[in-house]
Amino acid sequence: MSIKKPLEEYIDNIKKFLQKGDFSNALSIINNALTDYPSNPKLYINGGNIYKINGDLENAEIYFKKALILHKSKEVLNNLSVIELEKYNYQQSIDYAMDAIKLDPSYSDAYYNLALSLERIGDYSQAINYADKSYKLSKNIKHLVLLYRVLQNTCDWEKMDSIVSDLDSNIGNGIEHPFLNISRIDDEAINFIVAKSWAENNTFKIPTESNLKNDREKGKIKLGYICGEFRNHPTYHLIKNLFKNHNKEDFEIYIFSYNHENDIQNEIQKDVDQFISIDETNDKDAIKKISEFNIDILIDLSIIITNNRQKIISSRPAKKIISYLGYPGTSGYNFYDYIITDKIVTPENKQSYYSEKFLYLPRIYQVNSGIKYTKIKDILKSDHGLPDDSIVLSCFNQSFKIDKIIFKSWISILKKLPKTYLWILEDNEVAKENLTEYAELHNISSDRLIFAPRIDRNNHLKRLTLADVALDTRIYNGHTTTTDALQSSVPVVTIMGKHFASRVSSSLLSSIGLEELIAHNIQEYEEKIIKLCSEKIYLKKIKEKLSDSVYMKNFYDIKKFTYEFELSLKSILKN
């Protein structure tokens, strides 16, 4: 009969391996300990934590649930809330967080996860309440970041102003996400500090080393894309026709996809060599799978936005790793070799603010579908609640991009041009209420703000042709939305900002020779919009340019774009 090893001995050994970052051996000892001590909930919790670190959410959930059966604690309930949040099961995440709060009404971490899930399902009023509560209870800057983001999404500028100094005083501590920072500050130096500190504070315990061969094989270049946005998402709509135009004599194309829609998978896989789903694959197995293909260049289309697989990228499962399209700025991480860009969004003198080397495309960095949208004759303004004799100023950018300065400018334009109406995306009910209230406080009737509900993309593109002028946002431009407007022959007026995200529309307009629509300050911006609205002949001339297939030839030439794209990729393999 074997002698049962003391629990303390198991725990000491587990700690030793965890300190070394050896999760495999730590997990093995946990499982051995569970043979002797099957009713110890802490062992299951530690096992669940390791599985979560390894990206194995299914096993993490199993272990946390076993711990919960043995002992109902707020910590286990909160862990399960996090797991369900990461699996996009938001209602289940909410339920677990609420159960944790019932056990401890002052448990700030549970309020934080509750607010996160409520934000994801669009219940912004409740998300604000719980994010505010989590911050007041904890004074944790991570909770402040969430609160600011939800307020930004709802255009609650007054409350944002009341907490922004707390946020600014913590720049460089690694808590603020780089995406939030670029959406509120157009300063590359500050953005870089935030990105680098975020990267340093969020290093990855790589679950396994890549078994990539160092030498490039002769023959075709193996080009891979990894993405979590092959669904109804801006990244997909921009890039979908690039794959079919790749030169198949020079390149083999591999797609590593997760969180995709099946019909979009069916569409893409016709144009590539292999479409590999890593949806149900944990990070460790995904690294092994990708590196087995011996990819020469892997382009990450998600980078550090919500649906990312950074642990996979950090293992460097390809010879060259490139950031492209999904995130307009530096990741701050050193495992990206390049960022695909152009000289307008990232002038050469900005290189020192990027951890990635600039890989320039000659004309424009942003791909588009190459499709021109034409106005349908029987579509009427009245079909979308727009007055027949109105001048329609549209902005279909998400609400987080609308800051107080730009909205104040729009109000000023409405006052100067009585026939104008502002046509805005109805992003969420709270933002709609706040924007309407602000307009009314500044003597603009609410009926001059017309909110467009979210509809399917095809019908949206049809209605977009009803706009006379598209108004760009200031700190974070429209990217896909600017492209949509130009493809619908709607002129876009923008302000050239000081960082990548605020210069994308300038890049797009410059590529088609419409620099005259690029302003450099708010006054100039308003003047350009007023000129377009007041001078019918001038507006007609701009719209005719946008409608002219000869004038717009390069903009729509996806084959030419792909050729230039491939030349840039080939250049990095020579180095």
Side-chain angles (χ1 to χ4, degrees):
M1 182 178 174
S2 61
I3 300 170
K4 191 168 163 179
K5 190 186 291 185
L7 180 61
E8 291 75 18
E9 189 176 330
Y10 280 120
I11 291 170
D12 286 343
N13 286 331
I14 291 164
K15 283 179 180 177
K16 285 175 187 175
F17 283 116
L18 287 176
Q19 285 167 359
K20 293 177 185 176
D22 187 344
F23 297 121
S24 179
N25 276 315
L27 189 59
S28 178
I29 293 170
I30 287 169
N31 286 326
N32 289 338
L34 283 167
T35 304
D36 287 340
Y37 301 94
S39 58
N40 187 299
K42 288 185 179 178
L43 290 171
Y44 282 112
I45 291 170
N46 284 324
N49 287 333
I50 292 172
Y51 278 120
K52 185 178 181 302
I53 288 168
N54 286 342
D56 188 344
L57 298 182
E58 298 303 324
N59 274 314
E61 183 176 11
I62 289 168
Y63 272 58
F64 289 143
K65 283 183 174 178
K66 284 181 178 178
L68 187 64
I69 291 167
L70 293 167
H71 177 63
K72 189 175 183 180
S73 70
K74 65 179 184 180
E75 290 83 5
V76 175
L77 287 164
N78 193 56
N79 286 348
L80 283 164
S81 178
V82 172
I83 293 291
E84 297 304 338
L85 183 67
E86 292 191 15
K87 290 171 69 179
Y88 317 113
N89 298 328
Y90 300 124
Q91 189 54 55
Q92 286 172 264
S93 177
I94 289 166
D95 293 343
Y96 279 125
M98 292 295 282
D99 285 346
I101 289 164
K102 284 175 188 173
L103 292 180
D104 181 359
S106 62
Y107 190 24
S108 62
D109 286 351
Y111 285 112
Y112 175 83
N113 289 321
L114 181 57
L116 268 176
S117 288
L118 289 164
E119 180 201 27
R120 299 276 174 86
I121 64 172
D123 189 343
Y124 286 99
S125 293
Q126 289 283 69
I128 290 168
N129 290 337
Y130 289 118
D132 186 53
K133 189 157 190 172
S134 74
Y135 178 56
K136 283 176 178 170
L137 284 167
S138 66
K139 292 300 176 184
N140 185 323
I141 300 305
K142 184 173 86 166
H143 298 203
L144 174 68
V145 167
L146 173 61
L147 176 60
Y148 188 93
R149 189 177 76 216
V150 182
L151 293 172
Q152 187 186 49
N153 281 331
T154 55
C155 303
D156 193 334
W157 304 313
E158 188 176 337
K159 286 182 184 171
M160 285 165 64
D161 289 344
S162 71
I163 61 173
V164 72
S165 61
D166 290 346
L167 197 55
D168 288 343
S169 65
N170 283 279
I171 280 174
N173 69 359
I175 304 298
E176 181 179 1
H177 193 281
F179 186 91
L180 179 65
N181 192 254
I182 66 166
S183 72
R184 70 185 190 91
I185 299 175
D186 66 335
D187 184 317
E188 296 272 29
I190 293 174
N191 302 151
F192 186 51
I193 290 168
V194 169
K196 285 295 289 180
S197 62
W198 173 268
E200 288 163 8
N201 200 40
N202 291 271
T203 55
F204 300 103
K205 297 287 186 185
I206 302 171
T208 186
E209 293 298 324
S210 164
N211 58 356
L212 182 72
K213 298 174 189 172
N214 288 324
D215 296 331
R216 202 179 90 71
E217 296 171 1
K218 291 181 180 179
K220 296 180 183 181
I221 296 167
K222 291 185 173 182
L223 174 60
Y225 293 87
I226 182 167
C227 186
E229 279 74 48
F230 290 141
R231 50 196 161 84
N232 183 20
H233 186 276
T235 296
Y236 167 69
H237 296 308
L238 288 172
I239 205 168
K240 63 181 180 181
N241 288 333
L242 180 70
F243 307 124
K244 67 181 66 173
N245 284 286
H246 271 304
N247 182 345
K248 302 305 191 297
E249 292 182 8
D250 291 346
F251 290 87
E252 287 179 7
I253 310 300
Y254 298 83
I255 303 290
F256 302 98
S257 179
Y258 54 95
N259 199 33
H260 51 264
E261 293 172 1
N262 291 335
D263 57 336
I264 288 174
Q265 175 181 346
N266 294 336
E267 184 182 323
I268 291 174
Q269 65 187 9
K270 293 182 291 187
D271 301 318
V272 300
D273 290 275
Q274 289 199 52
F275 187 108
I276 300 101
S277 174
I278 54 170
D279 227 353
E280 303 297 326
T281 310
N282 65 44
D283 293 332
K284 182 178 179 180
D285 291 341
I287 290 166
K288 185 180 178 184
K289 185 178 287 190
I290 295 169
S291 59
E292 283 173 353
F293 284 98
N294 205 31
I295 299 294
D296 295 305
I297 300 170
L298 182 64
I299 298 176
D300 185 4
L301 297 172
S302 299
I303 313 104
I304 55 173
I305 62 173
T306 303
N307 292 299
N308 71 67
R309 299 290 292 269
Q310 286 282 292
K311 284 182 188 172
I312 296 173
I313 303 299
S314 68
S315 75
R316 294 192 58 84
K319 296 179 184 66
K320 300 287 183 183
I321 309 287
I322 295 179
S323 162
Y324 180 52
L325 205 59
Y327 179 70
T330 183
S331 67
Y333 287 107
N334 60 10
F335 42 77
Y336 289 99
D337 299 297
Y338 296 91
I339 181 171
I340 293 176
T341 182
D342 65 49
K343 289 188 178 181
I344 291 179
V345 289
T346 57
E348 291 179 65
N349 63 2
K350 301 291 186 181
Q351 178 63 78
S352 60
Y353 300 127
Y354 281 73
S355 55
E356 309 85 355
K357 291 178 188 173
F358 291 161
L359 182 59
Y360 283 126
L361 296 188
R363 295 177 298 121
I364 186 171
Y365 94 96
Q366 185 173 282
V367 65
N368 69 66
S369 65
I371 299 168
K372 184 180 187 302
Y373 309 120
T374 54
K375 189 170 184 176
I376 297 169
K377 289 180 180 178
D378 60 355
I379 189 169
L380 301 171
K381 285 182 175 179
S382 56
D383 295 337
H384 294 276
L386 303 167
D388 290 330
D389 62 345
S390 60
I391 299 169
V392 179
L393 306 176
S394 71
C395 181
F396 286 97
N397 294 349
Q398 293 177 70
S399 57
F400 79 86
K401 297 183 180 184
I402 303 173
D403 71 305
K404 187 177 180 179
I405 291 172
I406 205 70
F407 196 70
K408 186 178 178 182
S409 174
W410 296 348
I411 294 296
S412 174
I413 293 164
L414 292 179
K415 285 180 178 178
K416 290 170 185 173
L417 299 171
K419 281 195 170 185
T420 54
Y421 287 76
L422 193 54
W423 196 21
I424 314 175
L425 176 68
E426 188 177 333
D427 199 332
N428 63 79
E429 189 61 35
V430 182
K432 178 181 176 180
E433 290 169 5
N434 287 333
L435 292 172
T436 303
E437 183 182 347
Y438 186 93
E440 289 177 333
L441 279 172
H442 291 80
N443 302 314
I444 291 293
S445 173
S446 61
D447 62 8
R448 290 183 67 193
L449 270 62
I450 298 165
F451 290 88
R454 289 184 181 274
I455 56 176
D456 69 88
R457 182 165 172 78
N458 287 336
N459 283 315
H460 166 64
L461 293 170
K462 289 174 187 175
R463 73 180 175 184
L464 181 54
T465 59
L466 295 170
D468 293 293
V469 182
L471 311 185
D472 199 16
T473 40
R474 189 177 67 96
I475 298 176
Y476 199 125
N477 291 170
H479 297 181
T480 309
T481 48
T482 295
T483 297
D484 288 345
L486 297 176
Q487 288 179 283
S488 303
S489 303
V490 178
V492 180
V493 180
T494 191
I495 304 172
M496 184 183 280
K498 298 173 185 174
H499 70 342
F500 193 136
S502 60
R503 298 170 73 93
V504 172
S505 293
S506 296
S507 169
L508 290 163
L509 289 165
S510 297
S511 76
I512 56 175
L514 284 178
E515 289 90 348
E516 64 199 277
L517 300 182
I518 301 170
H520 295 86
N521 54 59
I522 283 287
Q523 184 182 340
E524 199 178 318
Y525 174 78
E526 289 181 22
E527 288 169 356
K528 288 180 183 295
I529 294 164
I530 289 168
K531 182 178 179 181
L532 283 166
C533 295
S534 305
E535 299 179 19
K536 289 183 179 179
I537 293 172
Y538 177 57
L539 178 60
K540 185 170 180 281
K541 183 182 111 182
I542 298 293
K543 288 204 164 199
E544 282 173 351
K545 282 185 177 181
L546 292 170
S547 301
D548 187 333
S549 56
V550 176
Y551 182 83
M552 295 289 287
K553 183 177 182 297
N554 281 338
F555 186 74
Y556 291 114
D557 194 340
I558 183 71
K559 289 185 185 297
K560 182 177 181 179
F561 180 92
T562 309
Y563 175 74
E564 293 169 347
F565 189 86
E566 290 175 347
L567 278 182
S568 291
L569 297 181
K570 287 175 182 177
S571 72
I572 67 173
L573 293 179
K574 292 175 185 175
N575 298 332

